[in-house]
Amino acid sequence: MVAFGLGIEKYSVLRANRAIERCDVALLLIDASEGLAAQDTHIAGTIHEMGKGVIVVVNKWDLAQEQRRAERAGTFPHPDEEIASAEAYSKIIAEGLKFIPYAPIVFASAKTNYHVKSILETAVKIG
C-alpha cells in the first residue's frame, strides 16, 4: 500500500510540473485548515525556478474561520479579528515561502465564492 501512495505522489508532482510549464501565472493552493505543507513549498520552488508568476491562494478560509469560532466556544469574532487572523496567517505563509516574497496572498473559499473574483483579477494584473 505504501508503494501505491508514493506512485500517486510522484504522479501528482509530474502533473503539477507540466501545468507550471504551460502557465503564465500559477495559483499555489494552500489548504487553510492544514497550513503550509512540504509539498506546497516544493511546488512553490518549482514555480519560482521556472520564472512564473504566482499567487498564493489560501483556500477554505471559511472553514478556518469556523474552526476559530469553535475554539472560542461559539462566540463570534469581530471582523477586525478576522483581519488580524489573516495577517497572522500571511506572516506564517511568508516565512515558509521566503523565496517568493513578491507573491500576493489571497484568502478565499471555493465553497462560498469568497474572493474568487479577486484571484482572477490578481492573475490578470500579474500576467
Side-chain angles (χ1 to χ4, degrees):
M1 189 64 108
V2 174
F4 180 71
L6 291 175
I8 291 173
E9 187 72 21
K10 186 174 181 178
Y11 179 69
S12 66
V13 169
L14 288 173
R15 284 193 55 161
N17 286 343
R18 287 187 195 135
I20 294 165
E21 287 171 359
R22 292 190 316 265
C23 78
D24 294 318
V25 178
L27 303 179
L28 180 64
L29 207 60
I30 309 294
D31 186 325
S33 63
E34 295 181 16
L36 188 65
Q39 190 65 20
D40 300 327
T41 305
H42 177 76
I43 292 170
T46 301
I47 294 166
H48 178 69
E49 289 170 8
M50 291 187 185
K52 303 294 183 166
V54 60
I55 302 169
V56 178
V57 179
V58 181
N59 191 33
K60 298 185 183 178
W61 191 240
D62 59 318
L63 181 59
Q65 294 309 305
E66 286 175 20
Q67 289 172 341
R68 287 184 63 240
R69 286 185 196 109
E71 289 171 4
R72 294 173 177 216
T75 60
F76 293 94
H78 188 274
D80 289 343
E81 291 181 35
E82 183 176 344
I83 292 168
S85 174
E87 289 172 353
Y89 206 100
S90 291
K91 288 178 184 176
I92 293 167
I93 297 292
E95 181 66 28
L97 300 175
K98 289 180 193 178
F99 52 91
I100 55 169
Y102 51 86
I105 300 172
V106 177
F107 293 88
S109 171
K111 181 179 177 181
T112 65
N113 284 334
Y114 178 73
H115 282 178
V116 171
K117 186 177 178 183
S118 67
I119 296 168
L120 298 174
E121 291 168 351
T122 305
V124 168
K125 289 177 187 173
I126 293 173

